[in-house]
Amino acid sequence: MPRAENLKDAYNNLYVEPLKKAQEFKEFYVERPDSASSPIGELKDRIEISNRKEKYLFLGFRGSGKSTELNRLEAALDEDRFLIVNYSIREDLNMSDFDFKEFFVSMALKIYDMARSESIPIQQDIEKDFQEFIKRVTKVTEEEFTSITSGGISWSQIILLKINREAKTREYLRTELDLKISDLILRLNWLILDIEDKSGKQIVVIVDDLDKLTRGQQSEDFFYKNYGLLVQPDCFIVYTFPIPLAFHPSYESVRQAFNWDVVLLQIPVKDRQGNEDPEGIEFYRQVVLRRMNQDLLEDKILEKAIVSTGKLSEFVEIMRDSSLNAFRMRRKQIIEDDVEIALDKLRTMYDRTLTEAHKKKLLEIHSCHEARDEGPDSTIIRELLFSLSAVEYKDREGRWCEIDPLLMPLAEKWRKSQ
Amino acid sequence: MAQISIDDLDEVELMLTELEISKGKGNLVICVVASPAYRSKIIQLIQDRFSTKITQIEDGDTLIYDLKGKKLEGVDVSLWIFPESLPNDIIEALNNFREFFYQAGIPSIVFLSPSALHQAISLAPDFWRYRGGFHVLKGDETGKAYQAVEALSTPLSMSYQSKEELLRRKRINEYLLEKIKDKKDMSNSLSELGSIHLLLAEPRKAIEYYEQALKISREIGDRRGEGSDLGNLGSAYSHLGEPRKAIQYYEQALKISREIGDRRGEGNHLGNLGLAYSDLGEPRKAIQYYEQALKISREIGDRRGEGNRLGKLGIAFYGLSRRQEAIKSMEDAVKIFEQIESPNLISAKKTLAKWKEAETPK
């Protein structure tokens, strides 16, 4: 999409989706500043030089650009050396009823599909054994299997669809795999071995959106109870990880099972002492200036929106709302009032939504720049991080936590009412 | 004309502007409104400007299925109505499939109750992050409803209205009144001032202006204007809580619309008379007027009017304990609302279900 030259186009350009295509990267990607640089370069290097099939956790706040960075990783890896399976669990699995058993079935099927689409022949016995195992655990009959394969849709896609749509298939699969999960992982590893051997390339699996498991219990079960299984497939795997869970006391044991945990933090617009960070501000400026002409903005209003939000997605959202406000007032430029109105509206909404316990905890974070739950049963910090009311930043001096800059003007009011 | 609260004019206009500029593109706009009845009014306003498709969502699977469905032809805006409190499956579907709203090729408005909005913010943060604008409407909880001026349902390029602009237009009209020479223009200006004052919850002032407009319409022999001014006076007295006076004006307006052969106006005045008699506690008379209004709606093919009048008839019958007739009327109304995808469908269905339940022997 070309850079907007009027407010209507600006409004429509200011929707931020993860960048995927080369053209999009060329037009919209803004290099992160050195102080909070992208970890993708290092991740790529690790994959390229490691002799072991490493497993990585990729952490980041929602809207911080994880999917974009993972797409960059896919593009950066040498395709003569690696076979990339980059997928989102949202595509095929039922996120409201999600279990690690379906997760491994889906990973196996994605790898199998990749081999088929790359025309890599799988050894006949391995393929047959894999198909029969999957049919057995999903209760797909021979007749169904035949009708599926003659229908032009790949059988793996149909099985994923059945798992996604049919509660009874999920239930059956879970019972079947209860004692056979190691059988599934064994077959998965056979597939990997055979494909890597035939292609002469190494498989890299990138699993996006695992951090989108919305129910805390669901993601805790997935990562805390099953992390031992997540490292068993015999290929490189990058797992996205819900950052709020990293603030849980159990995280340390999870982290140690993986080779590296990569964190993509929000780029700060102020340091922990409250001084503005020119590098961070410039990064955010460029994100918007790649999407709209500077003439559409009154002087200094971008900076105002940046320091008042301090988070990528929220900043873009405020600029989008401001462009709508300005367009509606028949202006040619976004002025300070438009930004103020958008900020006030969002701030008021959050003020109404937060509970007294949330506000108390946010005041604590604001004063000590740390966010830790008091114990495994306490969930307030995770809720605040999940909703981005609290944010973790990183600069040259390390990491620290702060409340959402948008909420800063409310902190004083909350303090008085405590 | 749909009735919306004066406090919401700015926000509704902002929402309509947002729909206008994202026309032909996917977008996810959130509209927060507490009462289903008020939501229906907002939907009616949107329908005055855009062709719409309304989808009522009861569970997450249906939402995903509908979101992934084929592109809608001839529809400008997709309207999604959610339950007052969101169950987990809907929350997760919203959170995980929000991009489908953008892939739909047309903007969507998601109607949420205030409590559903709080759930979405805390439990479906990706849905909340990747939305377009959000518009929180205050509604008519104070019991004061005001007529939304036509400007709200006219194309954006023609005119639009906000509270601030309403006051500006009031000043402009007052200023112009001193300059205008043409009587017809003067009458229009006075009539607009009346409508502005009605919007500003000043019905007595509105009446003063409407009376002046009426005087001029009569002077210049503008029968259509005269009928319109009389109808406006009826509405203003109705706002004042004086149904008897309202009836006097509606009757005069009705007489004129019949004389000049204005069938739609005739139907509207008959419908208003029905409402006024209903306010007076005379449901039998109200029924007579609703029936006449219904007949006209059918003759001129006004399906929305037909459905609304059948619904009103049903309520009046029910008030008289003529339950079978009430049920029949409401069933007919529901059929029409279904066909035209009216926002009144849900409330009509609920009323009907309640009546039928009361009829079922325990």
Side-chain angles (χ1 to χ4, degrees), chain A residues 52-242:
Chain A
R52 291 173 301 171
K53 305 296 179 67
E54 296 197 328
K55 311 292 178 294
Y56 310 103
L57 293 176
F58 191 63
L59 291 76
F61 285 96
R62 54 173 33 86
S64 62
K66 280 190 304 301
S67 299
T68 295
E69 294 297 328
L70 289 174
N71 290 338
R72 277 183 76 216
L73 174 67
E74 180 181 354
L77 285 167
D78 182 356
E79 56 183 27
D80 291 333
R81 287 184 57 200
F82 298 99
L83 292 165
I84 321 287
V85 181
N86 180 6
Y87 70 101
S88 156
I89 54 155
R90 294 191 298 132
E91 289 164 13
D92 298 307
L93 295 178
N94 190 316
M95 302 278 283
S96 57
D97 183 21
F98 180 88
D99 186 281
F100 69 96
K101 297 173 192 109
E102 293 107 77
F103 171 74
F104 281 114
V105 171
S106 77
M107 182 189 281
L109 289 168
K110 288 285 179 189
I111 291 173
Y112 176 82
D113 265 357
M114 178 273 296
R116 304 274 300 185
S117 67
E118 294 284 322
S119 306
I120 300 165
I122 297 167
Q123 201 264 348
Q124 217 174 0
D125 288 335
I126 293 177
E127 185 170 17
K128 191 164 174 51
D129 179 80
F130 177 67
Q131 287 183 344
E132 285 189 352
F133 182 81
I134 297 291
K135 277 188 275 175
R136 199 162 60 242
V137 297
T138 52
K139 215 180 175 183
V140 173
T141 62
E142 201 55 50
E143 293 74 42
E144 272 183 287
F145 184 70
T146 315
S147 73
I148 288 165
T149 43
S150 61
I153 307 169
S154 84
W155 69 277
S156 51
Q157 284 170 322
I158 298 287
I159 285 175
L160 283 171
L161 203 65
K162 274 174 82 76
I163 294 172
N164 183 349
R165 303 285 297 184
E166 299 174 2
K168 67 174 192 324
T169 302
R170 290 196 292 276
E171 203 178 314
Y172 186 82
L173 183 142
R174 286 173 196 171
T175 316
E176 279 293 298
L177 284 181
D178 215 15
L179 298 170
K180 292 183 196 158
I181 191 71
S182 55
D183 282 1
L184 171 63
I185 292 177
L186 179 73
R187 283 169 175 86
L188 170 61
N189 282 338
W190 286 348
L191 273 180
I192 293 169
L193 188 78
D194 191 42
I195 294 167
E196 290 195 343
D197 179 57
K198 296 267 174 52
S199 64
K201 299 179 186 179
Q202 292 184 292
I203 295 176
V204 180
V205 178
I206 300 169
V207 192
D208 199 0
D209 289 329
L210 270 170
D211 58 322
K212 302 290 190 319
L213 294 172
T214 40
R215 270 183 274 164
Q217 193 58 47
Q218 205 182 24
S219 44
E220 283 177 26
D221 285 352
F222 184 82
F223 283 105
Y224 294 158
K225 293 186 183 163
N226 300 297
Y227 63 87
L229 290 171
L230 295 175
V231 295
Q232 286 189 14
D234 202 12
C235 60
F236 288 100
I237 308 181
V238 183
Y239 292 101
T240 40
F241 186 87

Side-chain angles (χ1 to χ4, degrees), chain B residues 102-248:
Chain B
Y102 287 90
Q103 290 164 12
I106 53 170
S108 283
I109 293 196
V110 167
F111 284 98
L112 296 176
S113 71
S115 65
L117 175 73
H118 283 199
Q119 286 180 290
I121 293 174
S122 55
L123 302 173
D126 291 310
F127 164 74
W128 173 247
R129 294 265 149 219
Y130 289 93
R131 62 181 157 72
F134 70 100
H135 306 278
V136 182
L137 304 184
K138 295 186 173 78
D140 47 9
E141 67 266 302
T142 55
K144 282 185 182 174
Y146 303 90
Q147 298 287 107
V149 285
E150 292 288 0
L152 278 178
S153 53
T154 56
L156 189 72
S157 57
M158 297 283 290
S159 161
Y160 74 102
Q161 201 153 55
S162 65
K163 197 172 174 180
E164 188 191 7
E165 187 170 329
L166 199 64
L167 295 169
R168 191 166 61 239
R169 277 177 76 156
K170 176 173 165 279
R171 289 194 298 273
I172 293 169
N173 274 296
E174 285 165 350
Y175 169 74
L176 286 178
L177 267 181
E178 293 170 12
K179 316 271 172 195
I180 294 172
K181 300 272 185 296
D182 182 79
K183 293 263 183 185
K184 171 84 180 123
D185 288 344
M186 198 179 282
S187 167
N188 288 344
S189 191
L190 286 163
S191 185
E192 180 164 336
L193 273 168
S195 296
I196 290 170
H197 281 285
L198 202 56
L199 273 164
L200 294 169
E202 293 170 342
R204 288 189 195 284
K205 272 241 157 102
I207 287 168
E208 284 175 24
Y209 283 108
Y210 286 145
E211 278 176 341
Q212 291 180 55
L214 175 65
K215 196 174 161 212
I216 295 174
S217 296
R218 282 178 172 159
E219 265 174 38
I220 60 173
D222 174 12
R223 297 287 279 159
R224 190 174 284 272
E226 184 182 354
S228 165
D229 296 331
L230 287 163
N232 285 337
L233 276 163
S235 292
Y237 278 106
S238 190
H239 273 268
L240 264 183
E242 291 188 37
R244 283 183 205 287
K245 263 223 151 120
I247 287 168
Q248 289 173 12

Side-chain angles (χ1 to χ4, degrees), chain B residues 10-70:
Chain B
D10 276 340
E11 202 58 46
V12 170
E13 186 49 40
L14 191 64
M15 182 169 76
L16 294 175
T17 307
E18 191 169 18
L19 290 178
E20 194 70 42
I21 67 172
S22 49
K23 214 169 167 182
K25 298 187 184 72
N27 199 356
L28 166 55
V29 177
I30 298 176
C31 179
V32 182
V33 49
S35 100
Y38 195 63
R39 181 181 64 213
S40 299
K41 291 173 188 173
I42 301 301
I43 289 174
Q44 198 183 317
L45 267 180
I46 297 167
Q47 288 177 326
D48 285 340
R49 195 185 288 181
F50 303 97
S51 64
T52 62
K53 178 178 189 291
I54 301 174
T55 311
Q56 180 96 25
I57 294 299
E58 304 289 348
D59 61 76
D61 270 356
T62 318
L63 172 63
I64 297 166
Y65 183 80
D66 287 340
L67 277 174
K68 287 182 173 175
K70 62 176 182 178

